[in-house]
């Protein structure tokens, strides 16, 4: 592996060791034999506070096109919960490794590079997007890498995610870190932001256009908070859906045109049998929900797009309220995977159902550039220390987390640090 260190990195003295404590800095470019990691093992599958345990494991070795990153902070998202639970699939059935390190978001410093890596040097400050592929098929060369047979998500379908002192990634996963953000702010946004970007702009001809209306489920969460900001950036209108009134001001503050509280309606869950009395009650309530949308968009103006991710609980309503020729785009199923809908409204109104899965590098980079240009807010809500990584996931699992995005500290010793020099200074004071 090449060791090509940035010339502007601050000089510091540190001993060479085989294992460093959390927050302790090795010499620049020195890769210890071992590291601390929050590991999941197949026999521990379950809720995050049981599945995740701190272990000392071997530091990953890198191939010619790979990079080793010293993790400063990491983001919390549902990938960690699913990895712990082993659903919808166990990560061990994918990567076959003996343990799994979750974490699909991170900010950090390039610590070692493979001998064929040209774009990055040791010392570069980066954020990481979570798509990997082998790079040698038609989709990766002229198509869309997200359609590649080798496409996989780092930190879920690979065993070497960001809840560790070091993480191994492909060089094409790296993007420049917004220097105006702290390490934890930089770590919390890439997965949700890039996912939202592809959902809104990645499925032509239904890419979002100025003046269009978008219904955004979970508007106060990580995905929703970026969806609303991106919709504003495009000159379109976001209608946010919330579950608690105390989230209304947050969502309106992001720039939503209007907000609807789903608890004011009773049309959630799987679709009742069509034309049954239960269906008729559901349809009445669903149309009441549609009327609430019209109160924001104007009478008879249905949404051009529905930004879906709850899945089972909301999908019947989403497929009903989107306009003729509109699109329901879905990237997850946080309330369940058995989605139902009245297909008559689908074929007769020629609506599109579109699955969407993370983003390719071009899309992720376009979204990241908006963050670099300070046109987006990371909407970071909470930051947790290294020791609380499982409890942070438990908050998300129980839907007890605050609006926005959560981050956890890894090698950064405290919040508010913005440079490597800040990190060195903080580590010396501990």
């Amino acid at each position: 592996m090449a060791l090509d260190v940035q010339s502007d990195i601050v000089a510091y003295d540190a001993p060479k060791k085989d294992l460093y404590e959390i927050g302790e800095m090795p010499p620049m470019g020195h890769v210890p034999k071992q590291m601390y990691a929050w590991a999941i093992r197949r026999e521990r599958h379950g809720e995050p506070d049981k599945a995740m345990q701190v272990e000392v494991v071997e530091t990953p070795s890198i191939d010619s096109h790979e990079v080793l990153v010293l993790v400063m902070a990491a983001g919390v998202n549902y990938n960690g919960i699913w990895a712990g639970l082993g659903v919808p699939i166990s990560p061990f059935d994918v990567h076959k490794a003996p343990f799994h390190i979750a974490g699909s978001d991170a900010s950090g410093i390039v610590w070692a590079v493979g001998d064929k890596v040209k774009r990055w040097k040791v010392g570069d400050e980066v954020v990481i997007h979570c798509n990997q592929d082998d790079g040698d098929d038609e989709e990766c060369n002229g198509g869309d890498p997200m359609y590649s047979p080798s496409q996989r998500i780092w930190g879920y379908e690979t065993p070497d995610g960001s809840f560790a002192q070091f993480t191994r990634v492909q060089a094409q996963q790296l993007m420049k870190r917004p220097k105006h953000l702290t390490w934890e702010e930089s770590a919390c946004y890439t997965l949700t932001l890039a996912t939202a970007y592809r959902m809104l702009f990645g499925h032509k001809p239904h890419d979002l256009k100025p003046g269009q209306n978008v219904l955004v489920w979970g508007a106060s969460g990580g995905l929703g908070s970026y969806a609303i900001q991106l919709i504003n950036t495009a000159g379109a209108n976001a209608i946010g859906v919330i579950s608690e009134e105390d989230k209304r001001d947050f969502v309106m503050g992001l720039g939503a045109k209007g907000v609807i509280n789903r608890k004011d309606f009773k049309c959630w869950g799987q679709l009742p049998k069509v034309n049954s009395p239960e269906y008729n009650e559901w349809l009445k309530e669903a149309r009441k929900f549609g009327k609430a949308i019209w109160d924001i968009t104007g009478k008879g103006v249905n949404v051009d797009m529905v930004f879906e991710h709850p899945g089972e609980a909301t999908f019947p309503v989403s497929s009903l309220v989107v306009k003729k020729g509109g699109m329901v785009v879905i990237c997850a199923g946080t309330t369940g995977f058995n989605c139902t809908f009245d297909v008559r409204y689908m074929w007769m109104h020629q609506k599109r159902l579109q699955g969407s899965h993370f983003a390719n590098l071009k899309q992720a980079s376009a979204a990241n550039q908006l963050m670099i240009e300070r046109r987006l807010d990371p909407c970071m809500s909470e930051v947790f220390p290294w020791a609380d990584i499982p409890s942070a996931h438990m908050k998300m699992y129980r839907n007890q987390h605050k609006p926005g995005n959560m981050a956890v500290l890894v090698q950064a010793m405290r919040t508010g640090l913005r440079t490597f020099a800040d990190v060195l200074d903080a580590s010396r004071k501990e």
Side-chain angles (χ1 to χ4, degrees):
M1 64 181 69
L3 179 59
D4 189 2
V5 182
Q6 259 191 194
S7 59
D8 58 348
I9 292 297
V10 62
Y12 65 100
D13 293 322
K16 289 187 175 182
K17 301 194 298 186
D18 291 338
L19 177 66
Y20 294 83
E21 295 305 307
I22 295 295
E24 186 181 5
M25 288 298 149
M28 177 65 69
H30 170 65
V31 179
K33 292 181 180 179
Q34 295 179 310
M35 66 178 186
Y36 288 101
W38 282 97
I40 298 168
R41 294 188 180 265
R42 187 186 287 272
E43 61 270 20
R44 292 202 297 264
H45 268 324
E47 296 183 358
D49 58 351
K50 303 294 193 301
M52 297 177 175
Q53 293 186 20
V54 172
E55 297 186 21
V56 174
V57 300
E58 296 297 308
T59 304
S61 58
I62 60 172
D63 206 343
S64 59
H65 291 282
E66 293 178 331
V67 172
L68 192 70
V69 175
L70 181 72
V71 179
M72 289 296 170
V76 178
N77 51 67
Y78 239 85
N79 276 358
I81 296 169
W82 281 328
L85 295 171
V87 297
I89 58 172
S90 169
F92 298 102
D93 293 336
V94 181
H95 57 60
K96 313 298 183 184
F99 61 87
H100 179 81
I101 302 169
S104 300
D105 257 330
S107 64
I109 297 174
V110 174
W111 214 250
V113 297
D115 56 18
K116 293 184 178 179
V117 175
K118 306 300 182 184
R119 293 182 66 188
W120 303 99
K121 296 180 175 63
V122 171
D124 284 345
E125 296 184 7
V126 295
V127 293
I128 304 171
H129 80 74
C130 65
N131 184 60
Q132 290 192 357
D133 56 65
D134 291 346
D136 57 357
D137 58 60
E138 293 83 356
E139 291 294 350
C140 293
N141 295 276
D144 185 342
M146 294 307 298
Y147 298 150
S148 168
S150 65
Q151 185 276 324
R152 55 195 178 269
I153 296 296
W154 160 71
Y156 188 76
E157 294 167 295
T158 76
D160 41 20
S162 58
F163 300 141
Q165 289 172 298
F166 294 92
T167 188
R168 173 178 56 199
V169 298
Q170 295 178 333
Q172 58 89 9
Q173 291 180 253
L174 301 184
M175 301 183 296
K176 291 182 179 179
R177 183 177 79 89
K179 295 296 184 70
H180 67 283
L181 299 180
T182 64
W183 290 106
E184 58 272 16
E185 288 172 331
S186 299
C188 78
Y189 70 83
T190 302
L191 185 146
T192 46
L193 175 59
T195 298
Y197 188 94
R198 181 180 175 92
M199 291 174 74
L200 294 169
F201 303 107
H203 304 290
K204 293 182 178 181
H206 289 82
D207 47 329
L208 186 62
K209 299 171 180 66
Q212 291 187 334
N213 297 298
V214 185
L215 184 70
V216 179
W217 293 104
S220 67
L223 279 169
S225 61
Y226 290 132
I228 291 171
Q229 293 185 78
L230 289 169
I231 292 164
N232 289 341
T233 300
N237 306 308
I239 298 93
V241 184
I242 58 173
S243 57
E244 303 292 343
E245 273 303 313
D246 61 4
K247 298 175 181 177
R248 182 178 294 272
D249 289 346
F250 173 78
V251 174
M252 290 299 292
L254 291 173
K257 184 175 182 179
V259 174
I260 301 171
N261 189 331
R262 65 175 175 82
K263 289 189 175 178
D264 294 336
F265 308 89
K266 300 177 181 178
C267 46
W268 313 122
Q270 291 190 0
L271 187 73
K273 182 176 177 58
V274 173
N275 292 335
S276 67
E278 293 79 12
Y279 174 87
N280 293 333
E281 284 299 312
W282 172 86
L283 186 59
K284 179 181 177 181
E285 198 69 13
R287 284 176 171 162
K288 179 183 171 185
F289 181 81
K291 169 64 166 54
I293 295 174
W294 289 359
D295 289 342
I296 299 168
T297 60
K299 186 176 181 180
V301 180
N302 292 326
V303 293
D304 299 271
M305 189 185 304
V306 177
F307 185 93
E308 251 282 1
H309 50 93
E312 186 172 314
T314 56
F315 199 82
V317 173
S318 295
S319 59
L320 178 72
V321 299
V322 71
K323 77 170 191 178
K324 284 185 177 183
M327 178 175 71
V328 178
V329 57
I330 185 168
C331 70
T334 54
T335 66
F337 310 123
N338 293 315
C339 291
T340 52
F341 61 96
D342 188 336
V343 73
R344 296 173 300 176
Y345 291 95
M346 191 57 55
W347 91 67
M348 294 181 71
H349 292 178
Q350 301 176 77
K351 301 176 182 183
R352 176 180 180 181
L353 301 182
Q354 176 66 52
S356 194
H357 188 48
F358 190 59
N360 57 42
L361 174 58
K362 188 174 181 65
Q363 293 162 342
S365 293
N368 191 57
Q369 187 61 32
L370 293 174
M371 190 67 73
I372 290 174
E373 293 172 0
R374 307 191 187 202
R375 296 172 67 185
L376 303 175
D377 189 296
C379 294
M380 188 182 69
S381 58
E382 295 180 87
V383 185
F384 298 82
W386 164 263
D388 290 347
I389 285 178
S391 59
H393 284 81
M394 288 301 297
K395 288 193 75 170
M396 178 172 283
Y397 181 58
R398 293 168 176 162
N399 199 29
Q400 296 173 341
H401 53 301
K402 296 178 181 179
N405 298 276
M406 294 190 289
V408 294
L409 300 178
V410 183
Q411 285 296 101
M413 294 298 293
R414 57 178 175 81
T415 60
L417 307 179
R418 283 184 165 81
T419 66
F420 185 53
D422 288 344
V423 173
L424 287 173
D425 187 55
S427 66
R428 292 177 183 131
K429 293 177 179 177
E430 288 294 323

